[in-house]
Amino acid sequence: MDIKEFALMQKLIFCVNRFTLDRSFHELAYYLLLHYNEMEHIPLKQLMADCFASASTVRRFCQSIGYENYSALRQAKSRNREDQRQIVRCNRAKGRYQPRALHDGLSAMTYQIGRGLQTEQLQELARRFVQADCSILFAIRPYALFLEEFQCQMISLGKAVYIVEEVPPEGPPLRRPGSRINSVVVSPTGGILCALGEEVATLPGPKCALICQDYARTGDCAALLSLYDLVLPLNVQTHDIEYMELYGKYGVAYLFEILLGEIAHQLQGADEVPPAGR
C-alpha cells in the first residue's frame, strides 16, 4: 500500500487539529473524517455543497495534505480498506473494553515488551537520540498520536525530534538542525514499514525499526528490515490487528517512556563529564 493511502486518516486528523488559519480546510477535513467510510462514494459536488466550499478550495485543501485533487484523495481511500468502526465493534464483541479485561491486556503487553527488551539495544537507540542533531520518528496513527508526548519531552531536553509519515521527495527537510540524522520507524504491525518501502535507504545516518516479532518474520517486512542497522523486535506474539489497534499504542507509549529514561541518564552522564584537560 502506498504511503499516501496508508496515511490518509492521519493527515485528516492532523488537519482538524492543526489548521487554524483556514477554517474551510478544517471543515473539509472534519466532514471527510465523519464520512470516512463513505468517502469514495461522495462526489465533488456533494462535498462542495455540504461544506459550502468552492472547487478551487477543495483542490487547495487536497494539495495541502499531499494529494493532487479530490479524485486522487478518493482513490487513496478506495485502496485503503481499513474500517475503524469494524475494529471497534470487533474489540467490543470480544469484551476488550471491560475494565478488568483492558487492565489485564495492558499489563500483559507491557510485561511482554519490557521482558523482551535487550539492554544493549535500548542503550544504543538512546545513544543515537543523544548524539543526533535531529531525530525523525516515522509513525502512523494511533502510534504517532501517542508519540507526541515523547517529542515534547525530548524538545524540553534540547533534542530536536520530528514525527512524520513519509520521506519527503526532496530528501530530509530537517537539515537545518545539523547533518547527523537519526531515523526510527515505529511500526509494530509492519504497516508503515512496508508503505515506506525502500525510501528509507535515501536517508542519511543510522536507521532503526521497531516491530512486533511475528510481523518481523513476514515476507515483505523481513526483506525490508535488511535496510535497518538496528531492529528492536517487540515481544508481542499476535497477528490480531484489532488487538494491536487497542493495546499497541499503549505498548509503544510504554516503550518510549523507558527509552526516555535511558536518554535522560545518558544526557546526565554527558553533562557530568569534566572538560578535557582538567
Side-chain angles (χ1 to χ4, degrees), residues 91 96-97 101-103 105-111 113-114 142-147 186 188 234 236 242-258:
N91 279 325
R96 289 173 174 164
Y97 293 116
L102 188 59
H103 170 273
L106 291 175
S107 296
M109 168 167 277
T110 52
Y111 174 74
I113 290 176
Y143 312 110
L145 305 179
F146 274 66
L147 288 173
V186 183
L234 305 181
V236 180
E242 287 82 11
Y243 176 94
M244 287 303 300
E245 184 79 12
L246 176 59
Y247 297 118
K249 53 183 176 283
Y250 298 105
V252 166
Y254 170 78
L255 173 62
F256 272 82
E257 288 292 355
I258 296 174

Side-chain angles (χ1 to χ4, degrees), residues 17-50:
N17 290 335
R18 297 178 182 179
F19 268 101
T20 57
L21 298 180
D22 196 323
R23 182 175 178 83
S24 59
F25 282 13
H26 178 276
E27 292 179 352
L28 284 164
Y30 209 96
Y31 177 90
L32 291 174
L33 281 172
L34 287 174
H35 301 86
Y36 191 77
N37 287 348
E38 302 82 38
M39 188 189 304
E40 58 262 50
H41 306 299
I42 299 175
L44 176 60
K45 287 185 178 180
Q46 180 181 338
L47 178 65
M48 292 165 55
D50 290 348

Side-chain angles (χ1 to χ4, degrees), residues 85-261:
R85 279 183 285 189
Q86 185 59 36
I87 291 173
V88 171
R89 289 168 181 163
C90 179
N91 279 325
R92 181 181 180 278
K94 293 180 178 180
R96 289 173 174 164
Y97 293 116
Q98 296 298 322
R100 180 68 190 190
L102 188 59
H103 170 273
D104 291 346
L106 291 175
S107 296
M109 168 167 277
T110 52
Y111 174 74
Q112 288 174 332
I113 290 176
R115 185 184 180 193
L117 278 178
Q118 298 295 319
T119 302
E120 297 79 7
Q121 288 185 320
L122 183 69
Q123 291 174 340
E124 169 60 18
L125 182 56
R127 184 187 65 80
R128 295 182 180 191
F129 276 96
V130 170
Q131 295 185 350
D133 295 319
C134 73
S135 294
I136 310 174
L137 292 176
F138 292 92
I140 198 71
R141 179 201 53 81
Y143 312 110
L145 305 179
F146 274 66
L147 288 173
E148 290 185 358
E149 177 60 23
F150 173 80
Q151 180 187 35
C152 291
Q153 294 280 7
M154 290 294 290
I155 292 173
S156 73
L157 294 174
K159 307 302 296 183
V161 172
Y162 299 85
I163 302 173
V164 298
E165 71 277 348
E166 60 184 314
V167 179
E170 298 177 356
L174 316 168
R175 297 188 184 279
R176 283 176 296 174
S179 59
R180 294 176 298 180
I181 298 176
N182 169 44
S183 301
V184 182
V185 176
V186 183
S187 187
T189 60
I192 192 173
L193 184 141
C194 291
L196 288 171
E198 297 184 357
E199 284 189 82
V200 293
T202 64
L203 294 168
K207 303 169 187 64
C208 174
L210 280 68
I211 186 169
C212 292
Q213 289 180 345
D214 280 359
Y215 292 95
R217 300 187 184 101
T218 59
D220 291 341
C221 290
L224 289 169
L225 286 174
S226 64
L227 299 173
Y228 299 82
D229 56 314
L230 178 62
V231 177
L232 265 67
L234 305 181
N235 186 25
V236 180
Q237 311 250 338
T238 177
H239 278 292
D240 186 343
I241 191 68
E242 287 82 11
Y243 176 94
M244 287 303 300
E245 184 79 12
L246 176 59
Y247 297 118
K249 53 183 176 283
Y250 298 105
V252 166
Y254 170 78
L255 173 62
F256 272 82
E257 288 292 355
I258 296 174
L259 177 62
L260 181 64

